[in-house]
Amino acid sequence: MDSKDRQIIKALQENGRLTNQDLAEKVNLSPSPCLRRTRALEESGVIKGYTAIVDEKAYGLPITVLVRIRLESHAGAVVNLFEKKVCETEQILDCYVISGTDDYLLRVLVEDLQGYETFVRVKLHAIPGIASIDTSFAYGILKQSSVFPRLL
């Protein structure tokens, strides 16, 4: 991947609905090479897909919850079951494996506090092997971006 590929990626991260003509102009390429590069990025899996970025509040999910999970054990069966259940749970938008005293950080969207309580009681408590659940509620977003930084 070269700097031109990164320019294409940045432009598409900023606006995934650019036409090939507009993208080519933005990255200073002619349309044919631009399209070839974009298709190569898609086919190689660098560009995984395209999506709409939706306002959580307008959609009806105004509460963002950050949930830190510590497992009782790191035995393969416990970890595999937890990770399988996380992937099956639609309220969990992101799950990071983290270092430190906790094992995972989840980003969860819910409609209200009752929705979060239901999520914990019905979804999280049903997963065996969880030692602790530590919750933080995001009461604001200072920065949220889907555009990667430049390489230093």
Side-chain angles (χ1 to χ4, degrees):
M1 181 178 321
D2 62 16
S3 64
K4 196 56 73 175
D5 289 335
R6 286 188 177 87
Q7 289 175 8
I8 290 169
I9 290 168
K10 183 177 188 326
L12 289 172
Q13 285 179 314
E14 290 171 346
N15 181 359
R17 295 185 66 162
L18 285 172
T19 65
N20 184 60
Q21 181 68 38
D22 292 340
L23 178 60
E25 288 175 17
K26 192 167 183 79
V27 300
N28 199 26
L29 280 174
S30 60
S32 292
C34 183
L35 185 58
R36 276 195 302 276
R37 282 176 174 263
T38 302
R39 285 190 178 149
L41 290 166
E42 292 167 349
E43 290 168 5
S44 69
V46 173
I47 295 176
K48 295 180 178 182
Y50 299 88
T51 189
I53 300 171
V54 178
D55 183 275
E56 293 97 342
K57 289 178 185 162
Y59 186 80
L61 295 168
I63 309 290
T64 299
V65 188
L66 302 173
V67 184
R68 287 168 301 285
I69 302 287
R70 187 169 40 86
L71 298 180
E72 291 173 347
S73 161
H74 294 106
V78 173
V79 170
N80 291 340
L81 179 60
F82 175 79
E83 291 179 358
K84 178 181 182 290
K85 293 295 186 183
V86 163
C87 291
E88 294 171 352
T89 304
E90 65 181 7
Q91 292 89 350
I92 300 171
L93 274 73
D94 301 304
C95 176
Y96 297 93
V97 181
I98 59 174
S99 62
T101 58
D102 297 311
D103 298 311
Y104 298 92
L105 176 66
L106 314 178
R107 182 172 67 96
V108 175
L109 292 182
V110 293
E111 62 276 11
D112 54 26
L113 293 177
Q114 180 63 47
Y116 181 66
E117 180 183 358
T118 301
F119 165 76
V120 170
R121 289 178 183 268
V122 173
K123 300 292 185 171
L124 285 185
H125 286 170
I127 304 172
I130 295 177
S132 70
I133 300 169
D134 186 32
T135 301
S136 296
F137 292 92
Y139 59 88
I141 298 173
L142 178 66
K143 179 181 179 181
Q144 189 174 42
S145 178
S146 60
V147 179
F148 293 166
R150 287 187 300 268
L151 296 175
L152 300 177

